[in-house]
Amino acid sequence: MNQMANIKQARNKKSLIKKEHPTLKLMYKHRMLLSMLIPVILYFFIFKYGPMYGIIMAFKDYYPVKGLAASEWVGLKHFDTLFNGLYFMPVLKNTILISLYGMFWGFPAPIILAIILNEIRNKKFKKITQTISYLPHFLSWVIVAGVFIEFLSPSRGFVNFIITSLGFEPIYFVTEPAWFRTILVGTSVWKGIGWGSIIYLAAISGIDPQLYEVAEIDGASRLRKIWNITIPAIVPVIVIMLIFSSGKIIDDNFQQIYNFLNPRVLRVGDVIETYTYEQGLKNMQYSYATAVGLFKNVISFSMVLITNYIAKRTTEYALW
C-alpha cells in the first residue's frame, strides 16, 4: 500500500510541475540534455568559485607556515599600500594605456577582416585567406615572441636589414621604450584578428541574401551595401563584443608581455599581471599580490556593468 501511495504521489508531483511550472516542465522534458551540463557546472564551482575563498588573503598577513585560517587579519592594509605605494600607479597607467591602444586597433580589426572576407567572391581564395588568418591564434606567445624578436633584431632582423639598406641606423625595437607598446599592440592584433573575425562572419552569414539582391537591383554599390546592410545587421554582435572587451580595459595578456618584457622597457611595459607575478611569486608577498588581483577584477567587473548600462540606454542591445 505504501508503494502504491508513493507512486501516486510522484505522479501527482509530475502533473503539478506540468500544469503550474512551464519552465520546470521544459527542464524535465530535456533532463537528459541538461544533465550534460553537470561537468561544466562542476568545473566552474571547483576551479572558479571554489578558489574565491582565497580572496580573504587580501585582508590578512598570510604566512604559509600558519596557513590561511590562522593568519592575522589586517583589514585594508594591503590596499592602502597598493594606492599609496610608488610602483603600482605607473603599473596601472601602463596597463590601461596598453589595453586602450589594443582595444582601439584590435577591436575593429576583426570586423573589417570579416567584411572583407565576406566580399571575396573566389571561394577557394577565401578559404585559404581564412585559414592563414586563423593560424597565428594557435601559436603560443613563446613562439610568437621568439619569431618577432628575431624578425626585429637590429643585427639579423629583416626589418632592420631594410632600414640599414636605406642608409639609416638600426632600431632596437624590442628594447626601445618608444616602440615597445606598438610591438605589443601589433603582435596582439596580428595573432587575434583571424580568430576574432569568426563570430562576425557567423553573424554576416545570417543576413538574408535577398536584402543584397534588392539593393543590387536598386543600383547600390558594394560599399553602399556594406554600409546599409552588413554593418547594421551585425551591430548587436558588435555591441555585445564591445561590452565584453570593456572588461579587459584593466586586463592584460601576461604571456605576451612577459615574453617581450626586458629591463630596458620595464617603465612602459610593466603591467598588473607581471607586477602581481613579481610581488606574489618572486617576492612572496602573497597577500599584497592577492589585493592587486582583487582590485583588478573589481574594476573589470565594474567596467562591464557600466558599459552594459550605457549600451542598454543608448541602443536596443545589451547583455541583460
Side-chain angles (χ1 to χ4, degrees):
M1 292 294 291
N2 290 334
Q3 187 176 2
M4 291 296 293
N6 290 336
I7 293 172
K8 189 176 180 180
Q9 188 178 1
R11 285 177 179 174
N12 290 335
K13 190 180 289 185
K14 288 181 181 179
S15 62
L16 184 65
I17 289 173
K18 291 180 181 179
K19 288 178 182 178
E20 298 184 3
H21 304 282
T23 304
L24 293 177
K25 176 185 173 182
L26 191 64
M27 290 175 66
Y28 181 79
K29 180 181 178 182
H30 299 289
R31 60 189 181 279
M32 297 306 294
L33 291 175
L34 290 172
S35 66
M36 297 173 67
L37 287 173
I38 293 175
V40 179
I41 295 170
L42 289 175
Y43 166 79
F44 276 96
F45 270 101
I46 295 171
F47 297 105
K48 300 296 181 180
Y49 291 102
M52 288 179 70
Y53 169 74
I55 288 174
I56 64 172
M57 192 186 295
F59 306 96
K60 290 190 168 192
D61 263 337
Y62 173 72
Y63 291 97
V65 178
K66 292 183 178 180
L68 187 58
S71 295
E72 181 185 355
W73 288 93
V74 293
L76 301 177
K77 170 188 171 183
H78 300 296
F79 293 94
D80 183 63
T81 305
L82 183 71
F83 295 114
N84 295 320
L86 298 175
Y87 302 106
F88 180 71
M89 286 306 167
V91 166
L92 179 61
K93 176 186 173 182
N94 291 337
T95 304
I96 293 174
L97 284 177
I98 291 171
S99 297
L100 286 176
Y101 294 154
M103 193 171 177
F104 180 80
W105 294 104
F107 184 77
I111 302 172
I112 296 169
L113 178 62
I115 293 172
I116 292 172
L117 290 172
N118 184 62
E119 293 299 316
I120 297 175
R121 295 290 177 259
N122 190 315
K123 291 185 178 181
K124 188 175 181 180
F125 178 73
K126 181 179 179 179
K127 288 181 179 179
I128 293 171
T129 306
Q130 281 181 282
T131 304
I132 293 172
S133 67
Y134 298 161
L135 283 177
H137 172 78
F138 299 99
L139 299 176
S140 72
W141 275 113
V142 177
I143 296 172
V144 173
V147 169
F148 273 90
I149 288 171
E150 287 297 314
F151 194 71
L152 299 172
S153 171
S155 58
R156 53 187 179 274
F158 177 73
V159 175
N160 273 299
F161 173 77
I162 296 174
I163 292 173
T164 52
S165 298
L166 295 173
F168 298 100
E169 292 293 322
I171 301 172
Y172 295 76
F173 288 101
V174 180
T175 59
E176 180 61 48
W179 282 98
F180 187 72
R181 290 171 180 165
T182 304
I183 292 169
L184 292 179
V185 174
T187 52
S188 180
V189 172
W190 174 81
K191 191 173 186 294
I193 185 173
W195 188 256
S197 67
I198 293 176
I199 190 168
Y200 298 108
L201 282 170
I204 291 171
S205 66
I207 301 173
D208 189 351
Q210 292 183 358
L211 295 175
Y212 292 105
E213 293 172 5
V214 172
E216 194 168 345
I217 292 171
D218 290 341
S221 63
R222 276 195 172 187
L223 288 176
R224 181 60 63 182
K225 285 187 282 187
I226 291 171
W227 185 255
N228 290 334
I229 299 174
T230 306
I231 294 178
I234 63 174
V235 163
V237 178
I238 293 174
V239 172
I240 297 300
M241 296 305 294
L242 182 61
I243 294 171
F244 285 134
S245 298
S246 67
K248 298 179 180 178
I249 287 178
I250 200 171
D251 204 356
D252 47 72
N253 193 326
F254 172 78
Q255 294 183 36
Q256 178 200 19
I257 297 174
Y258 186 76
N259 281 287
F260 277 106
L261 199 62
N262 58 78
R264 293 192 61 179
V265 295
L266 203 61
R267 65 182 178 86
V268 296
D270 194 17
V271 293
I272 289 178
E273 291 286 346
T274 54
Y275 180 71
T276 306
Y277 169 77
E278 186 76 22
Q279 297 298 320
L281 294 182
K282 288 192 175 181
N283 298 340
M284 293 187 292
Q285 296 182 23
Y286 303 112
S287 296
Y288 178 69
T290 304
V292 175
L294 180 58
F295 168 78
K296 187 193 77 167
N297 292 333
V298 169
I299 297 299
S300 297
F301 183 64
S302 301
M303 289 302 301
V304 171
L305 293 178
I306 293 168
T307 310
N308 185 78
Y309 176 77
I310 295 171
K312 193 174 182 178
R313 294 294 299 268
T314 56
T315 68
E316 300 175 0
Y317 317 106
L319 288 177
W320 60 85

